[in-house]
Amino acid sequence: MPDLNTFKLEGTKLVPTNRFNLEPAKPSASFTVAPSVKVADFKVIEHPVIHSINIRPEIILIPLDIYFPLIENDTVINENSTFKDYNNPDITLFFPEIELTPNNNTVFYYENVLDKSGNKSGLLGYVTLKYNIKNKQVSSNQRNIALNLREAILNLKVNGDLVRINGVINTLTKEIQFDLKDEAVKIAYFNLISQIESAKCNIDLFFDFKGYSKYRRNLLFARDISLINTKMAIKSDLVAPKTLSTKANLISSPLLVKAGPAKSMISSKSITEIQRENNIDTSIQAELVKSTFLLKVNKTVGYAVSKEPATSLYKTADGGFIVNPFNLNEDFSQFKQIFVAGINFSKLSIYKSMVQPNTFLLISKMYSLSKDLDTLKPCISTIFHAFEDGVGSSEEISKISFQFAIGPNLSEFDLAKLKIALLNNNFIDGDTTDYFNKVQFLFPNDIEAEYEVSGNYFLQKSDINVDGKHFLFNLSTENLAEASIMINALNNTISQFANINFKHKEIKDTSVIELNIEKTIGEIIAASIDNDLKKIQIKNQSFSSCRLNSILLVYNQNATYFNSTFFNSYPQLISNDSKVLDSVVLNPSSASGNLENVFFDFENIENISSEFNQIVSQSTDYNRYIQIEIKKQAAATSKITVELTVLESGSKFSIERLKSEFSTPILFNFIVKNTGINSTLISYKTNYFDKNDNLVKSKNEVFDFSTSSKITIIK
């Protein structure tokens, strides 16, 4: 759940500092991490990702028949709550009623699954219902709130536990179907016919709706530190050339929060200042925030068994039945680990659901830094917390926070290939037609698996929240030298590793976290298919170059074709580069039908050192960057270490480079407390080693970072 107390500017909106634009999480996941709500079966929360303050509000003409409620306090909302309309306070709004009924005289259906010998080997079935958003009767000054059903979950009860089944929603026919297999078929039947209230199953229905709320005044604003005026004299070599005036791509400037004075709080006045700083012209002031709200409605479902098969809601292929056909086994596993030919166990663990057909739990063996969907930049922010003494003469950095998002290192190409492998290895249940759409992948957060981070001092002390399949880390430290070590590791692409251990009932599994801003995950190739012209237009949406390795084409009826040889000599795609591919050349067979989707195996070629000159120019009173360059060395020199001491703070750092890395510059960062002490000296010792790791010589020197931004290591 994003931290809603400190905001940053993204475009023309203020959003929580640890909000990253990731794949949207399921509404149920948002409720899982939301603060507890007292009302048991009727809950409303503000969507944790949508929350934002638009600092360039526009006058929008809203049709007279569209109404938006003003939400004051979502923790006390129930099904009978009323709201004022955003446009017309004389209009009262309330929630419509939600009804569930059997679908076409059927609520439960099952069939026996036969093996190759014709013997019964399992069960497949489903629970099917119709939902109705029933508007309440209204007077001339009353209206119903428009709701959209986003997700439905069937909660089955067995042996003191819950088995959750995801529903398939058809918004056109207002139908919900919960697919079941084996023991889940039996559990659903016993839950539905039970006369004991606590033994009945129930359904969570998740709706969304638009509304307005007042933004809280006790919110802090985190400014881009590179835009803050610096008091320290900076020489000409610290000023970026005009050609480097754009912001860095992979390395984002830190944010600065000034704690203490009231001016750091977000208010109408501070929003005006933010607008002026960012050249945003508007004559309208935002007092209310338009957000997406999520509504959770829980409905208990149960239907008695009819006395006549013809009127029974419980059916098989032969029609209705009225006699219990099942013997329930309460001792069963919800997931079973499977091994699929062609899928490397060191990359992925796969668990097949024993209660829902064609559902697989995936535990990626590697979790990496996620890309933002909009900017395609690494989802990582550094926030400096400055304490101001009230007089304004000095400010001191008191704490530094790192906020970042990691996700499973599985691309859309990987998942598409996995679906094909599941089909080829007979892991698809029932009819395999349209298996690409039938297969459902779950991740540990989808089943509320327990998790624990270990093996890394920095990462394991973080506050961690979940956002869909991603994990949001919030790491804060008051040790400024420790923070600089983390910044230097990130800026110089020194991977930070940790373990993340998952546990869910009988499942215990472990993945590795690798934190490196040159090794991020996320799709960067946009593809547009033209079946008439037999063309595929592709575009590299990233700001880095990209190498294509192979393509997977998926046609109607789920025919697939894989081609890797085409890209053996294909040129790299530079940033924003577009190309047109001939689908006939990619797949000479003309009998495949219409192309429905394409998936690319690609390599994002990111070079962080190309941004170092630009980053150095963004040094401030709080945060200093120095670039270290190793010039051509003697042939016998195989390793160099540099030990630096910042005299103002006493912070010590050690940097090591092997011979193969001498040509790659080093971006060295350290934190300046800015407390009036004006020492600008760094002492550093350079050690030279031969190929046998013997110390050949050492040099001791002093560097003044107020006169230069580059330390040069010579022979």
Side-chain angles (χ1 to χ4, degrees):
M1 179 79 116
D3 173 14
L4 301 182
N5 295 322
T6 307
F7 277 43
K8 62 184 176 183
L9 182 65
E10 274 194 7
T12 61
K13 290 186 177 182
L14 293 172
V15 300
T17 53
N18 70 336
R19 165 184 158 181
F20 300 107
N21 188 21
L22 303 164
E23 300 169 67
K26 297 177 181 178
S28 56
S30 300
F31 272 89
T32 300
V33 298
S36 59
V37 185
K38 293 181 179 179
V39 183
D41 297 329
F42 198 93
K43 300 179 182 179
V44 171
I45 64 170
E46 190 167 11
H47 195 294
V49 174
I50 301 294
H51 186 72
S52 62
I53 301 171
N54 190 357
I55 63 172
R56 189 174 64 186
E58 301 173 354
I59 298 177
I60 300 175
L61 297 178
I62 301 176
L64 296 177
D65 58 344
I66 296 182
Y67 304 92
F68 299 108
L70 293 177
I71 307 296
E72 298 290 340
N73 186 351
D74 55 28
T75 61
V76 298
I77 293 175
N78 60 44
E79 61 267 39
N80 298 316
S81 297
T82 60
F83 312 91
K84 296 296 183 182
D85 177 50
Y86 168 71
N87 276 329
N88 185 354
D90 294 330
I91 298 291
T92 300
L93 304 178
F94 39 70
F95 292 112
E97 295 179 1
I98 308 300
E99 295 181 338
L100 291 177
T101 57
N103 183 12
N104 295 324
N105 298 317
T106 301
V107 73
F108 174 89
Y109 178 90
Y110 87 97
E111 292 181 5
N112 288 296
V113 178
L114 305 181
D115 60 20
K116 294 180 180 180
S117 301
N119 300 317
K120 295 179 181 179
S121 64
L123 298 167
L124 287 178
Y126 56 79
V127 171
T128 178
L129 295 162
K130 285 259 191 183
Y131 71 93
N132 181 31
I133 303 174
K134 183 180 179 182
N135 287 333
K136 296 176 181 176
Q137 291 186 346
V138 297
S139 61
S140 59
N141 64 339
Q142 295 176 329
R143 298 293 185 274
N144 287 273
I145 298 171
L147 300 178
N148 301 301
L149 182 59
R150 292 280 308 281
E151 186 181 4
I153 295 179
L154 173 63
N155 299 303
L156 301 177
K157 299 178 181 179
V158 59
N159 202 21
D161 198 3
L162 284 180
V163 176
R164 293 182 173 89
I165 306 295
N166 298 309
V168 178
I169 301 169
N170 187 327
T171 56
L172 295 177
T173 60
K174 304 294 184 183
E175 296 174 339
I176 310 172
Q177 181 169 306
F178 302 94
D179 293 322
L180 311 166
K181 65 177 293 186
D182 297 336
E183 294 302 319
V185 175
K186 304 176 187 179
I187 297 168
Y189 175 76
F190 284 109
N191 281 189
L192 287 168
I193 68 171
S194 177
Q195 299 300 307
I196 302 173
E197 197 67 23
S198 61
K200 292 182 178 180
C201 56
N202 60 72
I203 294 176
D204 288 326
L205 301 170
F206 297 91
F207 301 85
D208 68 13
F209 64 94
K210 301 293 185 181
Y212 282 83
S213 61
K214 291 184 178 180
Y215 65 80
R216 291 169 289 174
R217 298 299 177 137
N218 61 338
L219 298 174
L220 295 174
F221 174 51
R223 281 180 165 82
D224 188 325
I225 199 170
S226 66
L227 302 179
I228 298 173
N229 293 329
T230 176
K231 306 185 190 77
M232 184 174 292
I234 297 179
K235 301 300 180 181
S236 59
D237 69 336
L238 291 180
V239 180
K242 290 182 180 180
T243 55
L244 296 173
S245 60
T246 57
K247 284 190 176 181
N249 292 326
L250 291 172
I251 306 178
S252 296
S253 297
L255 302 173
L256 177 68
V257 177
K258 294 183 179 180
K263 67 179 182 181
S264 64
M265 302 293 182
I266 291 181
S267 64
S268 297
K269 182 179 179 181
S270 66
I271 286 183
T272 302
E273 293 175 356
I274 297 168
Q275 291 169 337
R276 186 168 56 249
E277 287 174 5
N278 293 274
N279 300 316
I280 298 173
D281 297 324
T282 180
S283 58
I284 312 165
Q285 188 54 264
E287 292 292 333
L288 295 169
V289 184
K290 185 180 180 182
S291 297
T292 296
F293 289 84
L294 300 175
L295 164 67
K296 176 183 177 181
V297 178
N298 181 273
K299 292 285 187 181
T300 299
V301 290
Y303 300 92
V305 178
S306 173
K307 295 182 179 180
E308 297 293 333
T311 58
S312 177
L313 300 174
Y314 302 87
K315 297 178 179 177
T316 67
D318 296 325
F321 65 90
I322 58 175
V323 177
N324 176 16
F326 304 121
N327 292 314
L328 180 61
N329 173 23
E330 294 186 353
D331 185 18
F332 69 99
S333 298
Q334 291 192 33
F335 291 95
K336 176 183 178 181
Q337 188 168 13
I338 61 173
F339 300 92
V340 182
I343 304 299
N344 195 330
F345 178 68
S346 63
K347 180 180 176 66
L348 177 66
S349 293
I350 308 171
Y351 297 84
K352 182 174 172 61
S353 173
M354 297 290 98
V355 296
Q356 192 167 8
N358 301 318
T359 300
F360 302 87
L361 171 66
L362 306 183
I363 299 183
S364 173
K365 307 306 283 187
M366 180 67 73
Y367 273 70
S368 304
L369 192 62
S370 304
K371 276 187 173 71
D372 185 281
L373 286 180
D374 283 339
T375 65
L376 295 179
K377 293 178 64 173
C379 291
I380 187 165
S381 297
T382 306
I383 302 175
F384 288 65
H385 300 264
F387 174 77
E388 193 166 4
D389 62 6
V391 180
S393 59
S394 66
E395 296 167 335
E396 181 177 350
I397 299 295
S398 58
K399 182 175 68 173
I400 296 180
S401 299
F402 301 92
Q403 298 177 339
F404 54 91
I406 63 167
N409 195 340
L410 293 170
S411 67
E412 293 298 321
F413 179 85
D414 294 331
L415 297 178
K417 283 191 67 178
L418 177 56
K419 290 180 180 180
I420 297 171
L422 291 170
L423 174 70
N424 293 338
N425 288 274
N426 299 316
F427 286 115
I428 302 298
D429 298 308
D431 185 4
T432 59
T433 304
D434 198 29
Y435 73 96
F436 247 84
N437 293 322
K438 289 179 180 178
V439 169
Q440 177 183 205
F441 292 132
L442 302 178
F443 295 90
N445 294 343
D446 293 321
I447 61 172
E448 299 179 31
E450 299 177 20
Y451 59 87
E452 180 184 30
V453 174
S454 62
N456 185 293
Y457 169 74
F458 284 109
L459 302 187
Q460 66 193 41
K461 67 178 186 177
S462 302
D463 294 327
I464 306 173
N465 292 295
V466 300
D467 185 0
K469 63 183 179 183
H470 301 270
F471 291 91
L472 304 179
F473 282 68
N474 186 350
L475 167 63
S476 295
T477 179
E478 296 179 0
N479 186 324
L480 302 188
E482 186 179 81
S484 283
I485 291 172
M486 183 70 168
I487 293 173
N488 287 326
L490 291 169
N491 289 349
N492 292 283
T493 65
I494 301 171
S495 292
Q496 296 291 302
F497 291 100
N499 294 324
I500 182 166
N501 307 303
F502 297 106
K503 182 180 178 181
H504 180 75
K505 297 180 180 176
E506 67 271 21
I507 295 175
K508 291 183 180 180
D509 216 322
T510 299
S511 302
V512 174
I513 297 171
E514 182 178 15
L515 189 62
N516 187 321
I517 58 179
E518 275 192 349
K519 298 180 180 179
T520 55
I521 57 172
E523 301 301 313
I524 64 171
I525 302 297
S528 177
I529 299 170
D530 190 326
N531 278 305
D532 294 330
L533 298 177
K534 304 294 183 183
K535 302 293 183 183
I536 306 169
Q537 182 170 343
I538 60 174
K539 181 180 180 180
N540 176 12
Q541 301 179 103
S542 172
F543 43 76
S544 301
S545 296
C546 168
R547 179 184 296 114
L548 299 179
N549 297 321
S550 54
I551 185 172
L552 176 63
L553 300 99
V554 181
Y555 298 85
N556 56 351
Q557 303 302 316
N558 290 321
T560 59
Y561 188 84
F562 178 77
N563 189 326
S564 59
T565 58
F566 178 83
F567 296 103
N568 286 346
S569 58
Y570 199 78
Q572 293 182 10
L573 290 177
I574 63 173
S575 176
N576 291 314
D577 196 9
S578 293
K579 300 287 184 182
V580 176
L581 305 177
D582 191 326
S583 59
V584 176
V585 174
L586 290 169
N587 179 10
S589 172
S590 59
S592 300
N594 279 336
L595 185 61
E596 293 190 347
N597 213 336
V598 292
F599 301 94
F600 290 94
D601 180 24
F602 61 86
E603 180 183 352
N604 208 183
I605 305 168
E606 298 171 326
N607 180 14
I608 199 170
S609 62
S610 65
E611 303 172 11
F612 284 177
N613 287 338
Q614 181 179 334
I615 293 299
V616 167
S617 72
Q618 297 177 355
S619 291
T620 69
D621 288 348
Y622 310 97
N623 192 41
R624 306 297 299 178
Y625 291 103
I626 302 295
Q627 191 169 182
I628 302 175
E629 288 191 358
I630 301 176
K631 294 297 185 180
K632 187 175 181 180
Q633 299 295 311
T637 302
S638 292
K639 184 176 76 173
I640 288 177
T641 64
V642 185
E643 301 169 5
L644 305 102
T645 301
V646 181
L647 297 186
E648 178 195 10
S649 62
S651 299
K652 298 179 183 295
F653 304 92
S654 181
I655 297 170
E656 179 182 296
R657 275 288 191 262
L658 300 177
K659 190 171 188 175
S660 60
E661 303 169 315
F662 286 173
S663 60
T664 303
I666 303 164
L667 185 63
F668 171 58
N669 168 274
F670 58 96
I671 313 302
V672 183
K673 286 191 174 183
N674 192 29
T675 56
I677 301 176
N678 295 318
S679 175
T680 59
L681 300 180
I682 296 175
S683 67
Y684 66 98
K685 179 181 180 181
T686 307
N687 301 309
Y688 301 78
F689 298 84
D690 64 17
K691 63 180 181 180
N692 296 316
D693 217 23
N694 296 311
L695 178 63
V696 177
K697 65 176 179 178
S698 296
K699 290 183 180 180
N700 290 289
E701 299 180 74
V702 176
F703 173 78
D704 187 345
F705 60 79
S706 69
T707 61
S708 177
S709 64
K710 185 178 294 184
I711 295 176
T712 302
I713 307 297
I714 59 176
K715 290 183 182 179

